[in-house]
Amino acid sequence: MVLTYKPDFEQTKIRWRHFWNKEVYKRPIILAGCYKEGINKQFPDVFSLRYYRGYNELWQEQIDLFNEWAECFDFVGDGIPSFSPDFGPDQFSAFYGAKLRFSEHSKHTSWTEPIIGNWNKFLPLKFDPSNETFQKLVAYVRFIAKDAKGKYLVSDIDRHSNIDTLLALRGAEKLCMDLYDNPELIEQAMLSLRKEFPLISDMLYKAGIDNDGLGTTVSWTGGFYSEKNFGVVQADFICMMSPEMFRKFVLPALEEEIEYYDYSYFHLDGPGALKHLDDILSIKKLSVLQWQPGDGQKPNFQWLEILKKAQKAGKAVHVFGNSMQPLTAEIVKKLHKELDPTLVVYDGIPIKDRKEFENLSSWLEKN
């Protein structure tokens, strides 16, 4: 199969097949791209308002912007052109009755106000498939899937399920206190969310995220691709939890979500979450670890002790830089001597043209 925006899609699929089998096909996976030769135009904002446009049903406007950009972009590496029908990080809580909100002064993200005051009025938590936000999202998935055919793929959404859903529904301060004062209620709420995660996921996949069986990509983590069911698992709230509470309330949910997928990727966010690294790496079926150091920290690629520890546990690592210190081709060459090439994905390498990418690719193959 050929995708309009990725003519070498079939060749790229071969490299991803080897990656998921913990093999290297000629060189490690590289996610990189550049504008096609001769493209000098300035593009309007394509991605930062995608949640706002999606939720407010400006679907044609959003997808026209994406297509205009993708037609001019050269996906030279192994990333697959994709677009996510996404309403923002708190959308799972909206499936349970919270209201998604946007500020006119900050349209790039959305949030929800906590709605759980008295737990007894909300337990057991129950997902209603007729929920207005969920039905709107399903319709958006179908809209994107129809436009994507033959050109690009539909990405999965940014889920923030399990404990992050409770965080949005209850509020951080109250949830922290509940872990001490009402642990049995938190356990009951988590069991409800865990039970319904596969149901919600199945409905979204059938709406179009499965790309008619072609596989899924994950946009916000850099265009990962799999021909099988693949998704990102995370729990950002765990930075505020002790290891004992994490193991009791959250780890079982993560294990179940990872079991749901054929291949999985854990987004570990911030230094406060590092205390849980060993527990997360102990999950046998976990495929990839993404370590996100957070604002004010040295870039991901400089945390070699974390990257090597993950690889030693048999997990691939997602390696990237930040706005202050990008992951350059020269840095990749140095890391290539330190990291197992079968268990690494290099992302966000700034390149000016296809030739520059091919020079790096050739070097990696020869070395």
Side-chain angles (χ1 to χ4, degrees):
M1 178 184 176
V2 175
L3 294 176
T4 301
Y5 302 147
K6 184 68 175 172
D8 61 343
F9 181 41
E10 286 297 328
Q11 181 71 13
T12 304
K13 284 164 68 174
I14 295 172
R15 199 181 309 281
W16 279 109
R17 271 181 220 143
H18 281 271
F19 171 78
W20 294 118
N21 286 325
K22 298 184 178 181
E23 303 164 350
V24 65
Y25 179 70
K26 296 185 178 180
R27 60 160 174 77
I29 297 282
I30 305 173
L31 305 178
C34 57
Y35 285 107
K36 294 176 180 176
E37 188 175 352
I39 299 296
N40 298 310
K41 63 181 293 184
Q42 293 292 318
F43 290 90
D45 191 337
V46 178
F47 296 104
S48 72
L49 297 181
R50 66 190 186 279
Y51 301 153
Y52 179 85
R53 295 190 189 107
Y55 186 71
N56 288 286
E57 300 186 53
L58 303 173
W59 298 347
Q60 194 62 56
E61 175 185 333
Q62 176 62 71
I63 209 59
D64 286 347
L65 287 170
F66 173 77
N67 279 303
E68 181 185 2
W69 169 80
E71 286 172 359
C72 298
F73 198 77
D74 195 353
F75 296 86
V76 296
D78 304 307
I80 309 299
S82 61
F83 189 81
S84 173
D86 218 327
F87 293 163
D90 283 342
Q91 57 201 333
F92 251 64
S93 67
F95 300 163
Y96 285 86
K99 176 70 174 176
L100 277 175
R101 299 177 182 273
F102 291 84
S103 167
E104 287 301 311
H105 303 291
S106 180
K107 295 180 179 179
H108 67 281
T109 193
S110 62
W111 73 93
T112 58
E113 296 289 345
I115 60 172
I116 295 179
N118 185 337
W119 274 110
N120 293 325
K121 294 181 179 180
F122 282 86
L123 290 176
L125 292 176
K126 185 64 180 174
F127 165 67
D128 180 0
S130 66
N131 171 278
E132 181 181 359
T133 301
F134 183 75
Q135 283 302 312
K136 184 188 294 188
L137 182 63
V138 168
Y140 191 30
V141 172
R142 290 172 178 157
F143 178 88
I144 299 297
K146 183 177 180 181
D147 182 80
K149 286 186 184 298
K151 295 187 294 184
Y152 58 95
L153 296 184
V154 184
S155 297
D156 201 357
I157 64 169
D158 187 0
R159 289 169 184 255
H160 285 268
S161 50
N162 59 77
I163 196 70
D164 287 350
T165 299
L166 283 193
L167 169 63
L169 290 171
R170 179 65 165 156
E173 185 176 345
K174 290 182 178 179
L175 182 57
C176 285
M177 295 304 297
D178 287 339
L179 290 168
Y180 287 99
D181 298 335
N182 301 298
E184 69 286 349
L185 297 181
I186 299 303
E187 194 160 19
Q188 185 179 347
M190 286 294 290
L191 286 171
S192 298
L193 295 174
R194 288 162 55 187
K195 180 181 178 181
E196 293 178 334
F197 176 84
L199 170 65
I200 295 172
S201 299
D202 286 348
M203 293 177 72
L204 291 172
Y205 276 110
K206 290 174 183 176
I209 288 176
D210 68 346
N211 292 284
D212 295 326
L214 289 175
T216 62
T217 59
V218 182
S219 59
W220 64 277
T221 56
F224 276 61
Y225 172 77
S226 169
E227 294 169 282
K228 295 183 178 181
N229 188 8
F230 164 60
V232 173
V233 177
Q234 68 188 94
D236 290 354
F237 182 72
I238 63 175
C239 66
M240 303 176 74
M241 301 181 75
S242 70
E244 294 74 24
M245 285 187 172
F246 168 76
R247 292 175 193 132
K248 179 178 180 179
F249 296 107
V250 182
L251 186 58
L254 301 184
E255 290 172 332
E256 288 173 4
E257 290 186 23
I258 287 168
E259 190 62 36
Y260 171 82
Y261 296 110
D262 294 302
Y263 302 118
S264 55
Y265 171 119
F266 191 83
H267 169 71
L268 186 66
D269 197 343
L274 279 177
K275 57 181 171 284
H276 308 300
L277 179 62
D278 288 345
D279 284 325
I280 290 164
L281 293 179
S282 72
I283 304 174
K284 279 192 173 183
K285 202 178 177 186
L286 177 64
S287 310
V288 183
L289 178 81
Q290 184 215 45
W291 161 234
Q292 178 57 265
D295 293 341
Q297 301 290 330
K298 61 185 180 181
N300 160 284
F301 65 79
Q302 289 185 3
W303 295 75
L304 270 177
E305 69 279 14
I306 301 297
L307 302 177
K308 287 184 175 182
K309 185 173 188 175
Q311 287 195 332
K312 187 176 180 180
K315 317 304 181 187
V317 290
H318 184 185
V319 178
F320 51 93
N322 59 30
S323 59
M324 299 297 293
Q325 294 177 281
L327 178 68
T328 65
E330 290 307 310
I331 293 172
V332 169
K333 290 177 182 179
K334 292 177 182 178
L335 292 171
H336 192 53
K337 300 174 183 178
E338 300 280 350
L339 298 174
D340 182 346
T342 67
L343 294 173
V344 66
V345 172
Y346 294 113
D347 186 12
I349 304 164
I351 57 171
K352 63 178 183 293
D353 53 34
R354 179 173 283 269
K355 182 178 180 181
E356 189 174 337
F357 171 78
E358 290 174 350
N359 288 339
L360 174 61
S361 180
S362 296
W363 187 93
L364 288 169
E365 287 188 28
K366 291 174 183 176
N367 292 273

